[in-house]
Amino acid sequence: MQTLIIVGHPTPAASATQQFLKAAVQDLREINWHELADVKNHFDQQQEQLLLQKSSRIVLQFPLYWYNIPNILKRWQDQVLTETLQAKLAGKELGIVVNLGKAARDFQLGGSVGFSLSALLSPLAAMAKHFQMRLLPLFVIDRFGYQTQEQRQHLLVAYQQFLELPQPATFAQREDWFLAKLKEKKLQATGQQQQQLELIEQQLLARTADLADLQAVLHPVKEDDEAHGR
Amino acid sequence: MQTLIIVGHPTPAASATQQFLKAAVQDLREINWHELADVKNHFDQQQEQLLLQKSSRIVLQFPLYWYNIPNILKRWQDQVLTETLQAKLAGKELGIVVNLGKAARDFQLGGSVGFSLSALLSPLAAMAKHFQMRLLPLFVIDRFGYQTQEQRQHLLVAYQQFLELPQPATFAQREDWFLAKLKEKKLQATGQQQQQLELIEQQLLARTADLADLQAVLHPVKEDDEAHGR
């Protein structure tokens, strides 16, 4: 699966968020990191359309400016997208990675913004519908500048999984993804690191086995509930 | 009341809709027609902000491109609007004049677009809220290219009233506006035209008197209904 990340930021090199996300994809395969460049106020329509056609998952990644996409991304839409793309984009996935300068909780009724991200970004949902693309659940980065190191580690993993896994991803898929990443790391690691990673892997596998047991118990209960419309 | 019309169209001179609307404001006073120019990919922030401050009603006028504002208007937002404007824009009115390439009825659940204009344009509503501006009811132009001459005459009047009257305008305000416009026309008209306009004015006044009678009858009925929560 080829994933295209379209970075719609006027100055990605100056954005701590975009630099963090860029570092997060360095280890990933099948990712095409594409920063929109604002130099000549013009996009090569043919080249941009080819990029879209080559990809099965297209991710629009941007900060929210005035409760909307930044103008560089809007210009890309206005100059690149044509009706002829309809047949070529149908069935592809559209992901949205949006980072916020205000707290995510402000984007609701009674919040300081008062509009949900789902409402504010509905033009992109309408575009996805137009091209018969499948819109993935929003990936929201809640004020990166305020995040702790631990929150950023969680963000990194969630972002990588958002890019690499089928969406929405099941718990099992996320676990398998973790184990596969651990195996990769082990191959690259030195002696002592390898032992530590081995330990983590064993703990993770044990937990996965526990969870599988638990699910086997819960599964019939849930089915029974659903049959009774509970 | 000074009204600023910000035309967010990449090539207004080539747009039949924008040219029609431009002709419609020729007779109006206190209107500042401001076409955003895309020549140098840059707006003079200070000058644009001064224009906003001078106006009590600010109208954003644009075609819907990819279910959103055109990139020229988004760039204007990104380059011109600053937090410092907050105190200066509070209490002003924000109008939205949007013209559609698809039928207005498509913008609803089950329609081909599937999203309402109120949802798609919510970023502008969030902006109005941000600046404590009063958002006027949307002014929607439903596929200008398909409109008949009669529909366009209605559009012209509705557009002029949208710009000149308090919004939302009452029936009485719209009637008074008509009579005032007729008086103006009469002053400029030649002999035979003047007689025709006189006739129209008399008919309109008679109808207005009838309506006033009708309202006097309906008013107590309505109050009674409302008192009973019907």
Side-chain angles (χ1 to χ4, degrees):
Chain A
M1 183 179 76
Q2 183 75 36
T3 294
L4 175 66
I5 303 175
I6 296 173
V7 181
H9 191 293
T11 51
S15 158
T17 315
Q18 296 306 326
Q19 290 309 303
F20 177 86
L21 299 176
K22 191 175 185 176
V25 305
Q26 292 311 305
D27 292 342
L28 308 186
R29 287 177 290 270
E30 310 266 323
I31 298 280
N32 190 355
W33 181 270
H34 179 47
E35 292 177 359
L36 298 183
D38 209 7
V39 188
K40 284 180 185 172
N41 198 19
H42 178 74
F43 290 107
D44 184 328
Q45 189 184 70
Q46 203 181 352
Q47 198 182 315
E48 296 292 321
Q49 289 198 353
L50 272 174
L51 273 176
L52 294 175
Q53 288 173 54
K54 280 200 309 190
S55 314
S56 50
R57 178 176 285 178
I58 295 156
V59 174
L60 303 178
Q61 181 172 298
F62 54 88
L64 204 66
Y65 284 175
W66 293 110
Y67 313 106
N68 203 339
I69 59 176
N71 100 76
I72 189 170
L73 187 54
K74 188 72 218 323
R75 190 154 59 70
W76 176 86
Q77 281 191 301
D78 291 359
Q79 291 182 358
V80 170
L81 301 179
T82 54
E83 291 297 333
T84 53
L85 276 176
Q86 201 146 15
K88 293 161 187 164
L89 296 183
K92 293 184 189 294
E93 293 180 328
L94 183 73
I96 296 175
V97 175
V98 58
N99 61 300
L100 307 177
K102 297 188 176 195
R105 66 171 179 277
D106 290 337
F107 293 81
Q108 59 178 326
L109 287 177
S112 71
V113 176
F115 295 85
S116 67
L117 282 170
S118 292
L120 297 173
L121 297 174
S122 59
L124 295 180
M127 182 194 77
K129 187 168 185 292
H130 184 101
F131 289 121
Q132 296 175 271
M133 298 174 79
R134 190 170 82 82
L135 186 63
L136 305 182
L138 289 182
F139 188 91
V140 178
I141 301 172
D142 194 356
R143 291 191 301 180
F144 181 77
Y146 288 79
Q147 292 193 9
T148 62
Q149 275 308 315
E150 200 190 331
Q151 285 174 319
R152 288 184 183 186
Q153 276 164 17
H154 281 287
L155 170 63
L156 182 126
V157 169
Y159 178 64
Q160 290 185 334
Q161 290 187 339
F162 181 76
L163 297 175
E164 291 202 315
L165 287 179
Q167 290 300 338
T170 65
F171 190 81
Q173 285 167 329
R174 298 211 304 273
E175 290 257 321
D176 288 347
W177 180 90
F178 248 119
L179 286 168
K181 290 285 164 187
L182 266 178
K183 281 206 174 67
E184 268 181 45
K185 288 272 179 228
K186 248 173 40 186
L187 290 175
Q188 299 156 4
T190 56
Q192 210 194 334
Q193 285 179 326
Q194 249 175 358
Q195 283 179 6
Q196 284 179 343
L197 291 170
E198 187 81 44
L199 209 64
I200 295 174
E201 189 182 0
Q202 280 168 15
Q203 287 180 346
L204 200 58
L205 279 168
R207 217 181 57 171
T208 306
D210 285 351
L211 278 165
D213 287 349
L214 192 62
Q215 275 190 322
V217 175
L218 283 173
H219 193 60
V221 177
K222 202 176 153 213
E223 276 188 339
D224 195 45
D225 266 13
E226 279 167 1
H228 292 85
R230 275 176 219 155
Chain B
M1 184 179 74
Q2 183 74 37
T3 294
L4 174 67
I5 303 175
I6 296 174
V7 181
H9 191 293
T11 51
S15 158
T17 315
Q18 296 305 326
Q19 288 312 301
F20 177 87
L21 299 176
K22 191 174 184 177
V25 303
Q26 292 312 303
D27 292 342
L28 308 186
R29 287 178 289 269
E30 310 266 323
I31 298 281
N32 190 354
W33 181 270
H34 179 47
E35 293 177 358
L36 298 183
D38 210 6
V39 188
K40 285 179 184 171
N41 198 20
H42 178 74
F43 291 107
D44 184 328
Q45 189 184 69
Q46 203 182 352
Q47 197 182 316
E48 296 292 321
Q49 289 197 354
L50 271 175
L51 273 176
L52 293 175
Q53 288 173 54
K54 280 200 310 189
S55 315
S56 51
R57 178 176 286 178
I58 294 156
V59 173
L60 302 178
Q61 182 171 298
F62 54 87
L64 204 66
Y65 284 176
W66 294 110
Y67 313 106
N68 203 340
I69 59 176
N71 95 76
I72 189 169
L73 187 55
K74 188 72 218 321
R75 189 153 61 69
W76 176 87
Q77 281 190 301
D78 291 359
Q79 292 183 357
V80 171
L81 302 179
T82 54
E83 291 297 333
T84 53
L85 277 176
Q86 202 147 14
K88 293 162 187 163
L89 296 183
K92 293 184 189 294
E93 294 180 327
L94 182 72
I96 295 175
V97 174
V98 57
N99 61 300
L100 308 176
K102 297 187 178 196
R105 66 171 179 278
D106 290 337
F107 292 81
Q108 59 178 326
L109 288 177
S112 70
V113 175
F115 294 86
S116 68
L117 282 169
S118 292
L120 297 172
L121 297 175
S122 59
L124 295 180
M127 181 192 78
K129 186 168 185 292
H130 184 102
F131 288 121
Q132 297 175 271
M133 297 173 81
R134 190 169 81 83
L135 186 62
L136 305 182
L138 289 182
F139 188 91
V140 178
I141 301 173
D142 194 357
R143 290 191 301 180
F144 181 76
Y146 287 79
Q147 291 193 9
T148 61
Q149 275 309 313
E150 199 191 331
Q151 285 174 320
R152 289 184 183 184
Q153 276 164 17
H154 281 287
L155 169 64
L156 182 126
V157 168
Y159 178 64
Q160 289 185 335
Q161 291 187 339
F162 181 77
L163 296 176
E164 292 203 315
L165 288 179
Q167 292 299 339
T170 64
F171 189 82
Q173 285 167 328
R174 297 211 303 274
E175 290 256 321
D176 288 347
W177 180 91
F178 248 119
L179 286 168
K181 290 285 165 187
L182 265 178
K183 281 207 173 68
E184 267 181 46
K185 287 273 179 228
K186 249 174 38 185
L187 289 176
Q188 298 156 4
T190 55
Q192 209 195 335
Q193 285 179 326
Q194 248 175 358
Q195 281 180 7
Q196 283 179 344
L197 289 171
E198 186 82 42
L199 207 66
I200 295 174
E201 191 182 359
Q202 281 169 16
Q203 286 180 347
L204 199 60
L205 279 168
R207 218 182 57 169
T208 306
D210 285 351
L211 279 165
D213 287 349
L214 192 62
Q215 275 191 322
V217 175
L218 282 174
H219 192 61
V221 178
K222 203 176 151 214
E223 276 189 339
D224 195 45
D225 266 14
E226 279 168 2
H228 291 85
R230 276 176 218 154

